[in-house]
Amino acid sequence: MNHKSCGDRAGEGFRPSFTLLAEDEATSARRGKLSLFHGEVNTPAFMPVGTYGTVKAMTPEEVEGLGAEIILGNTYHLYLRPGHELIRDMGGLHEFMNWRRPILTDSGGYQVFSLNELRKITEEGVTFQSHLDGSRHMLTPERVVEIEEALGSDVMMVLDECPPHPSSREYLERSLALTNRWALRSLDARRRPELALFAILQGGMDPELRARAASELCGQPFDGFAIGGLSVGEGQELMLKTLEATTPHMPRSRPRYLMGVGTPSDIVEAVARGVDMFDCVLPTRNARNGMFFTSKGKIAIKLARFERDELPPDEGCGCYTCRNYSRAYIRHLFRTREILASRLITGHNLYYYQSLMKRIRAALEAGTFPAFLNDFRAGQEVLQ
Ligand SMILES: [Zn+2]
């Protein structure tokens, strides 16, 4: 393979950049191109989640073939197992997992807060016990950047605190101030400027705190800005309202990443509000639970009504699964717990998400995004 490896000297002069190619006049939607160390990413983009250095059930070649230009890895999980030093010694995460395009790594903050009850947050960082063996660890903003640089991540996320929803205003304010101080420390800790570093805007559902997060961080030399702390059970309406209170305060010239979101409808609505990048476990996790995302809504393949259904999972879909297999056969595979069921459904779901992003980008290029948005919303209403 001819991809750049972790210690490639070609990286010395490279700097990540973002180019805005088109902006919709009626909404805040944008079409852009993100240039990263391991290649270009067309935005709006959906990033399949590969927490442990694998998009579950798919080979890297298959993920690329489905249209993904960037995938996600998780710093917390890879740090605990197999360890970032091992991955660095194996040539970096790209080499280790045989993925040649860009990788974004989540900082692990979210996992520390969601998987560890015994965590302790101080100004210095967060101390926690491994959910694997109970061993004690400390992650600081500096340590997280060091781990992400060892992995060779194209987009490194800063360590942040993701407050639970709902939280009191006092808690949110204190937490935001700490998250912002940690973000500035992360900038200072960076040693590899060829790898992008994104800050994370927090502030709960409070519009004033969201604006404060943007005003304190968006003037800093981060390569992009993420919106964190959404899709935490607040519901789509409040999530979109919070987005509307956030994106107008973010710089036009930098990519905007909405973390952990979401359903096809969440993505389309967030694009209309100015978001460029997304990641979510839904298409892959739900696939393993037998759920197809289709142009006509969600399908639970286990239902008895598909027992003798000769149709493909999503009529009109051009993916490998839909071109070759019936609902009845995949239902049979799922009921007999065959591995192939996970592979076929994951393949379709990722294809569906990537083709949705392609249609969004094409509409933005053609100047027809408002019509696309109306059609999409109308199609969703029929389903629900
Ligand atoms: Zn399909």
Side-chain angles (χ1 to χ4, degrees):
M1 304 199 72
N2 62 357
H3 61 271
K4 298 168 189 168
S5 71
C6 190
D8 199 321
R9 296 183 66 84
E12 284 176 6
F14 180 85
R15 294 293 178 272
S17 63
F18 180 66
T19 311
L20 214 46
L21 302 175
E23 285 174 290
D24 183 43
E25 285 173 11
T27 69
S28 299
R30 302 126 57 87
R31 167 81 176 89
K33 194 165 274 192
L34 185 57
S35 176
L36 299 170
F37 187 45
H38 286 87
E40 289 193 329
V41 177
N42 286 287
T43 65
F46 178 78
M47 306 182 277
V49 177
T51 302
Y52 296 98
T54 170
V55 176
K56 289 186 199 300
M58 297 280 107
T59 67
E61 289 76 6
E62 286 167 333
V63 174
E64 193 176 345
L66 293 164
E69 294 181 316
I70 178 171
I71 58 169
L72 216 81
N74 187 273
T75 301
Y76 168 87
H77 287 292
L78 293 171
Y79 159 74
L80 289 178
R81 191 171 54 185
H84 61 291
E85 280 145 355
L86 182 146
I87 293 175
R88 183 196 57 212
D89 295 347
M90 299 295 285
L93 185 55
H94 292 81
E95 191 76 26
F96 190 48
M97 68 176 290
N98 189 33
W99 171 257
R100 63 197 184 108
R101 289 177 177 273
I103 297 175
L104 178 149
T105 46
D106 201 347
S107 69
Y110 180 80
Q111 283 69 29
V112 170
F113 296 108
S114 61
L115 293 176
N116 295 271
E117 288 179 359
L118 297 172
R119 67 187 180 255
K120 188 164 172 267
I121 308 166
T122 62
E123 186 66 34
E124 177 65 10
V126 56
T127 312
F128 63 95
Q129 276 192 316
S130 162
H131 70 285
L132 298 171
D133 61 7
S135 57
R136 293 196 72 77
H137 301 265
M138 184 175 206
L139 284 181
T140 64
E142 293 80 9
R143 180 81 169 140
V144 164
V145 171
E146 182 193 325
I147 296 167
E148 293 180 300
E149 290 188 340
L151 297 174
S153 168
D154 294 87
V155 180
M156 310 183 285
M157 302 305 301
V158 300
L159 181 66
D160 66 333
E161 191 201 350
C162 182
H165 176 73
S167 293
S168 70
R169 162 93 189 196
E170 292 69 30
Y171 183 90
L172 285 176
E173 212 167 341
R174 250 195 350 263
S175 166
L176 177 65
L178 181 67
T179 284
N180 292 357
R181 289 194 296 274
W182 281 2
L184 299 182
R185 280 169 55 190
S186 308
L187 264 185
D188 288 340
R190 172 152 64 161
R191 296 292 171 266
R192 296 187 61 188
E194 74 276 21
L195 307 177
L197 181 65
F198 279 25
I200 303 174
L201 309 184
Q202 289 286 354
M205 308 303 152
D206 189 313
E208 198 193 322
L209 292 182
R210 287 281 168 181
R212 186 186 301 176
S215 79
E216 290 184 6
L217 293 178
C218 290
Q220 299 292 331
F222 290 101
D223 302 291
F225 297 93
I227 303 156
L230 292 182
S231 201
V232 288
E234 75 277 16
Q236 192 191 52
E237 196 183 331
L238 185 51
M239 179 184 83
L240 296 178
K241 261 179 82 174
T242 309
L243 267 186
E244 286 164 14
T246 309
T247 51
H249 301 286
M250 300 171 79
R252 246 182 94 232
S253 59
R254 301 285 159 86
R256 304 162 179 171
Y257 161 33
L258 178 54
M259 304 181 80
V261 175
T263 63
S265 165
D266 290 339
I267 289 175
V268 171
E269 295 295 342
V271 164
R273 287 158 180 82
V275 175
D276 308 303
M277 301 163 71
F278 301 88
D279 80 283
C280 190
V281 294
L282 277 182
T284 41
R285 179 182 293 163
N286 287 13
R288 299 192 301 282
N289 294 323
M291 185 190 282
F292 279 98
F293 284 95
T294 79
S295 52
K296 298 199 173 68
K298 291 182 278 192
I299 286 182
I301 202 66
K302 68 177 178 200
L303 297 178
R305 67 184 164 105
F306 300 124
E307 187 176 8
R308 291 172 173 276
D309 195 330
E310 292 175 3
L311 290 174
D314 190 4
E315 283 180 277
C317 174
C319 86
Y320 169 77
T321 303
C322 293
R323 280 189 283 110
N324 293 289
Y325 303 94
S326 66
R327 293 171 180 174
Y329 178 63
I330 298 169
R331 176 175 186 270
H332 159 70
L333 292 179
F334 183 72
R335 281 163 51 86
T336 49
R337 298 189 179 156
E338 285 294 335
I339 294 168
L340 187 56
S342 289
R343 286 187 36 75
L344 293 178
I345 306 174
T346 301
H348 164 82
N349 284 352
L350 287 179
Y351 181 95
Y352 176 76
Y353 267 65
Q354 293 301 340
S355 56
L356 175 67
M357 304 318 290
K358 268 185 207 150
R359 284 189 288 142
I360 290 172
R361 293 194 296 263
L364 284 166
E365 284 164 21
T368 56
F369 183 75
F372 169 87
L373 187 59
N374 281 338
D375 289 352
F376 182 85
R377 283 174 177 160
Q380 294 288 301
E381 277 161 28
V382 172
L383 301 171
Q384 287 161 4

